[in-house]
Amino acid sequence: MTDTTPRIYVRPGSLADAPAILDMLDSAVAWMNARGNTEQWGTTPYSQKTGGVARVQRYTTENAPYIAELDGTPVGAMVLDSGPSPQVPIAPAGEPERYVRLLVSDRQRAGLGIGAALLAHAVEETRRAGVGLLRVDCWAGGGGGLVAFYERNGFTATDRFLSGSWPGQVLARRVD
């Protein structure tokens, strides 16, 4: 039997990866919109949103970015930080933590486990840092599919929040 599982490699990211991350974000907005989801990230391509390019550039220079590659091509991105965005109404954890600030994958390669590979890498990085808590927040609308994705990847839903009219869910995972 031949193993046909794609080999996803996760590497540290840099400012040079910002264009690929913006492309993934733009295609994710288009993919969501094509399925009738205009609430999660709106309808404007991320690269055209006010502050969108600068935010991705900050993520790749001020935070810990990681890029998932398949055959040398970037197919996913994740950004880790030491806590949630100050722009989101989420309480501090009260203990050291790592926080997934961004997780996106190439929608043309959906179903290959790219997001799961990036989250597994986040667990490894959290453990390597000697930190016991990994958290993430996500959109809680649309039937809860994104929340369920994180739950399938070992996270437990904790606090719900509203950012304006945008329903959010915080999820946590203990790392031993």
Side-chain angles (χ1 to χ4, degrees):
M1 186 165 167
T2 305
D3 181 8
T4 58
T5 305
R7 300 288 181 230
I8 298 166
Y9 171 71
V10 179
R11 64 167 174 81
S14 71
L15 182 58
D17 294 303
I21 295 169
L22 285 163
D23 285 348
M24 284 183 255
L25 289 165
D26 284 352
S27 68
V29 170
W31 180 82
M32 286 183 250
N33 289 180
R35 282 151 186 77
N37 177 352
T38 59
E39 297 171 23
Q40 185 174 349
W41 285 358
T43 57
T44 303
Y46 200 88
S47 63
Q48 295 175 22
K49 288 183 181 185
T50 302
V53 171
R55 182 175 300 114
V56 169
Q57 290 172 340
R58 277 194 314 277
Y59 280 162
T60 59
T61 58
E62 297 175 10
N63 301 113
Y66 295 93
I67 303 297
E69 290 185 341
L70 185 62
D71 299 325
T73 300
V75 294
M78 175 182 65
V79 174
L80 286 178
D81 199 356
S82 59
S85 168
Q87 284 77 40
V88 182
I90 298 171
E95 68 179 276
E97 69 176 315
R98 290 296 177 266
Y99 205 97
V100 177
R101 293 279 292 271
L102 173 71
L103 181 69
V104 64
S105 64
D106 180 345
R107 300 316 309 154
Q108 293 179 350
R109 293 180 173 92
L112 296 181
I114 297 163
L118 285 164
L119 289 174
H121 191 79
V123 168
E124 290 173 24
E125 290 297 322
T126 302
R127 184 177 295 122
R128 197 171 295 138
V131 174
L133 179 64
L134 176 63
R135 292 197 306 163
V136 63
D137 65 79
C138 69
W139 186 58
L146 192 52
V147 172
F149 164 78
Y150 285 108
E151 289 174 335
R152 286 191 306 274
N153 282 280
F155 288 81
T156 301
T158 58
D159 303 315
R160 291 184 69 97
F161 66 94
L162 278 177
S163 182
S165 62
W166 192 88
Q169 176 71 58
V170 178
L171 297 102
R173 179 172 174 173
R174 287 314 234 171
V175 176
D176 300 325

